[in-house]
Amino acid sequence: MRTYHCLSLFIWTYMYHTTYAIPFQEKGNSDLPSERIVGLTQDDGKMLHRTKRGWMWNQFFLLEEYTGTDTQYVGKLHTDQDKGDGNLKYILTGDGAGSLFVIDENTGDIHAAKKLDREEKSLYVLRAKAIDRKTGRQVEPESEFIIKIHDINDNEPKFTKDLYTASVPEMSGVGTSVIQVTATDADDANYGNSAKVVYSILQGQPYFSVDPESGIIKTALPDMSRENREQYQVVIQAKDMGGQMGGLSGTTTVNITLTDVNNNPPRFPQSTYQFHSPESVPLGTPLGRIKANDPDVGENAEVEYSIAEGDGADMFDVITDKDTQEGIITVKQNLDFENKMLYTLKVDASNTHPDPRFLHLGPFKDTAVVKISVEDIDEPPVFSKVFYLIEVDEDVKEGSIIGQVTAYDPDAMNNLIKYSVDRHTDMDRIFSIHSENGSIFTLKPLDRESTPWHNITVTATEINNSKQSSHIPVFIRILDINDHAPEFAMYYETYVCENAKSGQLIQTVSVMDKDDPPRGHKFFFEPVPEFPLNPNFTIVDNKDNTAGIMTRKDGYSRNKMSTYLLPILIFDNDYPIQSSTGTLTIRVCACDNQGNMQSCNAEALVLSAGLSTGALIAILLCVIILLVIVILLKFTFLTIRQRKKEPLIISKDDVRDNIVTYNDEGGGEEDTQAFDIGTLRNPEAREDSKLRRDVMPETIFQIRRTVPLWENIDVQDFIHRRLKENDSDPSAPPYDSLATYAYEGNDSIADSLSSLESLTADCNQDYDYLSDWGPRFKKLADMYGGDDSDRD
């Protein structure tokens, strides 16, 4: 069909060229020279002669999309200067010359070398000239002509999108615009109907329609429901040639979604709900969930639940779960199986965002009945009060009942209850309770002054089930009884001046009482009955719980009486009246003219008061000087002691011989551990002797034990052997050591006073001559020169 159409168009175009060629040529050649004759033909055998111009054309027309086997003939260039001898050469320049359009340089025939597309280029401007082959000069001026491409219907309409997406609210009226689709045709809109597009709907009826000229898609049915169908697919066709037969077409798909509106009320899937709850559940416990279904979506499906009416409206509550759109039934007040076993509620479910346009469809809410059954459980005992307050006098006798607590079993069984005191709250076991009737009684005396309050905990437990128990606080307040006598609030140091006048106030005393009467304290002061009239002092009750001590005479003498004792009777006004006697000690003191005490008796009580500031500073300086002198003396003594003791080795570089000196004196005959010169004569005894226990050796190395000498040799020989042993001893110190042995010899003509050998003597010595040596030896003479009885 399309091939036939192109052929007809070609024939029409050709006829068009044949019919209207002459007027175009006349108009286009009006400016050319008149003396030349130019011919333009579309057939080789037929020439059109025209005078006044050399070139004979205005424009050529050519069909696009030529599908023939030969090149498409465009036209022929000819000038009257062409004698047919081949001396002229035709040249073509301009748009597509040489590539799209070729010319026979001998004959001037123009052909289209390729298939042309008007949508790519609809107009070509070319220039032609004729040149003498011999001279190379133009025989005609260069002239311009146009080749116009005639359109054929070779492009179908195309939509701007392959897939459109649109939405429209549900329940919209007929004719509601949804979306506009647009298709374009690349053909020439000014030539024929090739580019005239008409829209039609291929798929989507009877729900939607499309305007054939504008491409606007509209609703075609009223009250379309999203809940019934949400998605629609509409296919739109765009056809050129004004929609006539033979026109080309294109299609597109439009996906249309119905958006939700709140046109559906919530509905409960069932009319009655049943829940169960133990009576002991805590407040706020969820019992179950109910849900009203709403086919709408988003905020149009949001539901709010509320309790409309029922006998359990005060006992329960309903909470809306925003995530699941469910109603949660919760406990609002404590349940009691014995009080009520079944509750009935009416719960409403309503939309939170109703649409006024659809209120005529009915109320947008629904109601369901909720029944809640309370289950009985074994509950602990319940006290009659939240707490108990008991007041008791502190003088109550032991074993007296001071109060009572009561509890009951709320269950239908009404089990028996026993009471007990939590001993963690009564560590001293002051109180106890009767296990059957809950009477609280005392076990020990009470004292408000030591503990005014007692806070104990009483436990009530079911006898048949010890796990069921309750606790209650009991606050016991100890009421005051006037059982303490008033006494002085402090110790008073009272004095009276020797030069005091009669009626002079010397002291104001106040008292304290450990009791706490409800009307407050009121104390009275009087002389004791034994001394109703004191000749020296007077007691004046100030009526404000204080008393003033006044002098009763002029002048007092320390020599006659240095201290006065004034007994004062103090009593309160509570019942029973408590009284005590406080004795005030009053000393007689010397005072200055202003009444300031200077001294009492022979002792200066306030010495610092009579000293000036300069005297105090002088005393302080003397004390400091004495402390400095003592510190200097101590330091000097320590320095002298350190100087007397010289070290064995001055420094690490000192390798001089070192002499170890023992400045020890004999301890007399009572010194059994002292040095004995007899050891030098008896090497065996030297080997077996023990170290002294009364003197610490200053050497830093152990005493080396040597091989004993079994024979009694001379001291000189003994020393030589010791010297040899020390020389050959590998464990000796790395410096020379000098061992000194002070030996006097065997005998002395003058005899010796030393007691070193007294241990070896066989008889007692006579020390009476010590008495003749003077007072310096008197001590020794007393120790040794007396009789045996005296020494004992």
Side-chain angles (χ1 to χ4, degrees):
M1 185 68 184
R2 183 173 180 177
T3 304
Y4 174 80
H5 172 73
C6 292
L7 181 59
S8 64
L9 180 62
F10 176 77
I11 295 174
W12 176 83
T13 305
Y14 182 78
M15 294 300 294
Y16 176 85
H17 293 169
T18 304
T19 305
Y20 296 98
I22 294 175
F24 287 156
Q25 292 172 3
E26 291 178 355
K27 183 178 181 180
N29 297 338
S30 61
D31 296 333
L32 295 178
S34 60
E35 65 274 10
R36 294 178 182 175
I37 300 174
V38 179
L40 175 63
T41 65
Q42 286 184 306
D43 293 326
D44 292 339
K46 299 178 180 180
M47 291 290 296
L48 297 177
H49 298 280
R50 187 78 173 177
T51 58
K52 297 182 183 180
R53 285 184 64 93
W55 295 107
M56 300 168 59
W57 62 57
N58 185 280
Q59 62 182 357
F60 294 109
F61 294 93
L62 190 64
L63 291 176
E64 66 171 338
E65 302 293 344
Y66 174 72
T67 58
T69 58
D70 297 333
T71 58
Q72 187 178 10
Y73 182 71
V74 177
K76 184 179 180 64
L77 294 179
H78 183 72
T79 179
D80 56 359
Q81 299 295 327
D82 188 0
K83 304 301 182 179
D85 55 2
N87 289 332
L88 294 182
K89 178 181 178 181
Y90 294 95
I91 298 175
L92 186 66
T93 61
D95 295 339
S99 58
L100 296 179
F101 303 101
V102 293
I103 187 171
D104 189 337
E105 62 181 12
N106 296 321
T107 63
D109 293 330
I110 301 174
H111 292 80
K114 297 180 180 179
K115 181 172 62 174
L116 302 178
D117 187 358
R118 190 202 66 83
E119 285 72 33
E120 292 182 1
K121 192 173 179 67
S122 62
L123 190 69
Y124 294 89
V125 179
L126 294 98
R127 290 174 295 277
K129 56 185 177 181
I131 300 176
D132 191 327
R133 292 180 184 271
K134 294 180 180 181
T135 62
R137 293 188 302 176
Q138 295 184 8
V139 297
E140 292 286 350
E142 184 179 67
S143 182
E144 183 179 273
F145 65 95
I146 297 172
I147 299 177
K148 188 175 182 179
I149 308 301
H150 260 313
D151 181 51
I152 63 173
N153 191 16
D154 60 341
N155 291 280
E156 70 277 3
K158 292 184 178 181
F159 287 93
T160 56
K161 294 181 180 180
D162 295 333
L163 180 65
Y164 288 85
T165 302
S167 62
V168 63
E170 63 172 336
M171 307 298 291
S172 297
V174 177
T176 302
S177 298
V178 180
I179 191 174
Q180 183 180 14
V181 295
T182 303
T184 59
D185 195 321
D187 293 327
D188 190 358
N190 298 321
Y191 183 77
N193 294 326
S194 299
K196 186 176 180 180
V197 178
V198 175
Y199 299 96
S200 62
I201 185 168
L202 300 181
Q203 178 182 327
Q205 294 176 333
Y207 309 104
F208 299 94
S209 63
V210 63
D211 187 280
E213 294 183 359
S214 63
I216 298 175
I217 300 174
K218 303 178 180 180
T219 58
L221 286 180
D223 300 333
M224 287 189 294
S225 176
R226 183 198 65 81
E227 290 74 28
N228 295 333
R229 184 176 177 181
E230 184 177 5
Q231 297 288 339
Y232 294 87
Q233 191 175 73
V234 179
V235 177
I236 303 297
Q237 182 189 61
K239 191 175 183 179
D240 59 12
M241 298 298 293
Q244 298 177 4
M245 185 178 294
L248 303 179
S249 63
T251 60
T252 187
T253 301
V254 182
N255 290 331
I256 301 175
T257 302
L258 295 183
T259 58
D260 184 64
V261 296
N262 193 5
N263 62 328
N264 293 282
R267 291 289 182 263
F268 284 104
Q270 59 192 68
S271 60
T272 304
Y273 293 86
Q274 184 74 37
F275 297 107
H276 302 274
S277 173
E279 62 176 337
S280 62
V281 293
L283 299 182
T285 302
L287 302 181
R289 292 172 176 258
I290 59 176
K291 184 175 183 180
N293 299 322
D294 191 331
D296 296 325
V297 294
E299 67 175 15
N300 296 324
E302 293 181 359
V303 180
E304 184 177 5
Y305 298 89
S306 61
I307 297 178
E309 58 183 21
D311 53 5
D314 297 334
M315 303 298 295
F316 302 94
D317 196 4
V318 60
I319 302 173
T320 303
D321 190 336
K322 298 298 183 181
D323 297 330
T324 62
Q325 297 301 318
E326 293 177 321
I328 306 174
I329 308 298
T330 60
V331 178
K332 188 177 181 180
Q333 294 187 15
N334 293 321
L335 304 178
D336 187 2
F337 173 82
E338 290 72 24
N339 186 24
K340 192 175 182 61
M341 296 181 292
L342 181 64
Y343 294 90
T344 302
L345 307 174
K346 287 187 178 181
V347 179
D348 288 343
S350 58
N351 282 134
T352 57
H353 301 86
D355 194 333
R357 296 177 299 173
F358 306 103
L359 293 179
H360 64 279
L361 299 178
F364 279 75
K365 68 176 182 178
D366 195 13
T367 303
V369 176
V370 178
K371 295 183 178 181
I372 302 174
S373 299
V374 180
E375 299 175 349
D376 186 27
I377 63 170
D378 191 5
E379 298 178 89
V382 178
F383 284 93
S384 59
K385 296 181 180 180
V386 180
F387 65 91
Y388 290 86
L389 175 62
I390 299 175
E391 294 183 345
V392 57
D393 294 334
E394 63 176 326
D395 62 345
V396 66
K397 296 181 180 180
E398 298 179 18
S400 301
I401 296 177
I402 62 174
Q404 184 181 17
V405 296
T406 57
Y408 64 94
D409 184 9
D411 299 323
M413 298 292 294
N414 195 15
N415 294 321
L416 296 178
I417 297 173
K418 63 178 181 179
Y419 301 91
S420 62
V421 175
D422 186 357
R423 289 306 172 189
H424 292 90
T425 61
D426 186 24
M427 300 296 292
D428 297 332
R429 294 183 175 270
I430 300 176
F431 303 96
S432 185
I433 189 171
H434 197 283
S435 61
E436 296 181 1
N437 58 22
S439 298
I440 301 175
F441 56 92
T442 60
L443 296 177
K444 295 181 180 180
L446 304 178
D447 185 9
R448 188 205 64 84
E449 286 71 30
S450 61
T451 308
W453 283 89
H454 294 272
N455 302 327
I456 65 175
T457 300
V458 175
T459 303
T461 308
E462 291 185 8
I463 295 179
N464 296 335
N465 187 3
S466 60
K467 294 182 179 179
Q468 297 296 334
S469 62
S470 300
H471 307 278
I472 196 72
V474 178
F475 307 107
I476 302 174
R477 179 184 180 185
I478 310 302
L479 301 179
D480 183 51
I481 297 298
N482 193 23
D483 56 349
H484 290 82
E487 56 187 13
F488 283 137
M490 57 180 293
Y491 175 74
Y492 293 97
E493 292 185 356
T494 306
Y495 69 94
V496 60
C497 296
E498 289 182 309
N499 55 358
K501 302 297 182 179
S502 177
Q504 182 178 344
L505 177 65
I506 62 173
Q507 183 69 60
T508 300
V509 296
S510 61
V511 296
M512 58 169 292
D513 194 339
K514 294 181 180 179
D515 294 322
D516 186 16
R519 294 175 297 177
H521 290 291
K522 182 63 177 177
F523 303 113
F524 302 94
F525 303 86
E526 294 180 356
V528 294
E530 294 82 0
F531 305 98
L533 184 61
N534 192 298
N536 300 307
F537 303 97
T538 302
I539 303 172
V540 179
D541 193 342
N542 297 327
K543 307 300 181 180
D544 59 355
N545 294 337
T546 63
I549 309 302
M550 312 289 292
T551 58
R552 201 179 182 92
K553 64 179 182 178
D554 293 335
Y556 295 85
S557 175
R558 284 185 294 172
N559 297 328
K560 295 180 179 179
M561 181 69 69
S562 62
T563 303
Y564 292 92
L565 298 179
L566 177 62
I568 303 175
L569 178 62
I570 310 169
F571 57 94
D572 54 25
N573 67 337
D574 204 358
Y575 180 82
I577 296 177
Q578 299 289 338
S579 63
S580 66
T581 301
T583 301
L584 191 65
T585 301
I586 304 174
R587 293 182 296 172
V588 180
C589 301
C591 302
D592 56 12
N593 295 330
Q594 286 76 27
N596 298 320
M597 181 179 63
Q598 292 182 341
S599 64
C600 295
N601 299 331
E603 179 182 0
L605 298 179
V606 196
L607 182 60
S608 58
L611 296 178
S612 62
T613 305
L616 291 176
I617 295 175
I619 293 174
L620 182 61
L621 289 176
C622 292
V623 172
I624 294 174
I625 292 173
L626 289 176
L627 290 176
V628 172
I629 293 174
V630 171
I631 293 172
L632 291 177
L633 290 176
K634 181 66 176 177
F635 178 75
T636 304
F637 177 74
L638 293 176
T639 304
I640 294 173
R641 289 191 60 183
Q642 291 179 357
R643 289 180 179 178
K644 287 183 178 181
K645 185 176 181 180
E646 297 180 355
L648 296 177
I649 301 178
I650 304 300
S651 65
K652 293 188 296 183
D653 299 332
D654 192 352
V655 295
R656 298 176 300 173
D657 294 346
N658 294 278
I659 300 176
V660 181
T661 304
Y662 295 90
N663 294 322
D664 298 322
E665 294 182 359
E669 291 186 359
E670 294 180 359
D671 185 7
T672 59
Q673 297 294 333
F675 293 103
D676 189 357
I677 198 61
T679 307
L680 295 177
R681 296 183 176 275
N682 189 355
E684 182 178 357
R686 177 65 181 90
E687 294 295 336
D688 297 334
S689 64
K690 299 181 180 180
L691 295 176
R692 290 183 59 182
R693 293 178 293 177
D694 59 332
V695 178
M696 180 180 293
E698 295 182 1
T699 55
I700 62 174
F701 50 85
Q702 296 287 339
I703 298 177
R704 181 179 57 84
R705 298 184 62 85
T706 58
V707 179
L709 300 177
W710 302 105
E711 54 194 15
N712 189 8
I713 60 176
D714 187 74
V715 175
Q716 184 178 3
D717 190 23
F718 168 78
I719 293 176
H720 285 297
R721 291 195 180 191
R722 292 299 190 202
L723 179 61
K724 183 177 181 181
E725 288 175 359
N726 281 280
D727 291 338
S728 61
D729 185 11
S731 62
Y735 47 80
D736 294 340
S737 178
L738 178 60
T740 302
Y741 295 91
Y743 177 60
E744 297 180 1
N746 291 332
D747 293 314
S748 176
I749 300 175
D751 292 333
S752 176
L753 294 177
S754 176
S755 62
L756 292 177
E757 295 183 358
S758 62
L759 295 177
T760 59
D762 297 331
C763 60
N764 294 329
Q765 298 184 13
D766 187 8
Y767 299 102
D768 294 337
Y769 58 88
L770 294 176
S771 302
D772 300 332
W773 286 10
R776 293 185 178 181
F777 295 93
K778 185 178 184 302
K779 184 65 175 178
L780 290 176
D782 293 339
M783 294 175 59
Y784 295 98
D787 296 335
D788 293 340
S789 61
D790 296 336
R791 287 194 296 268
D792 293 340

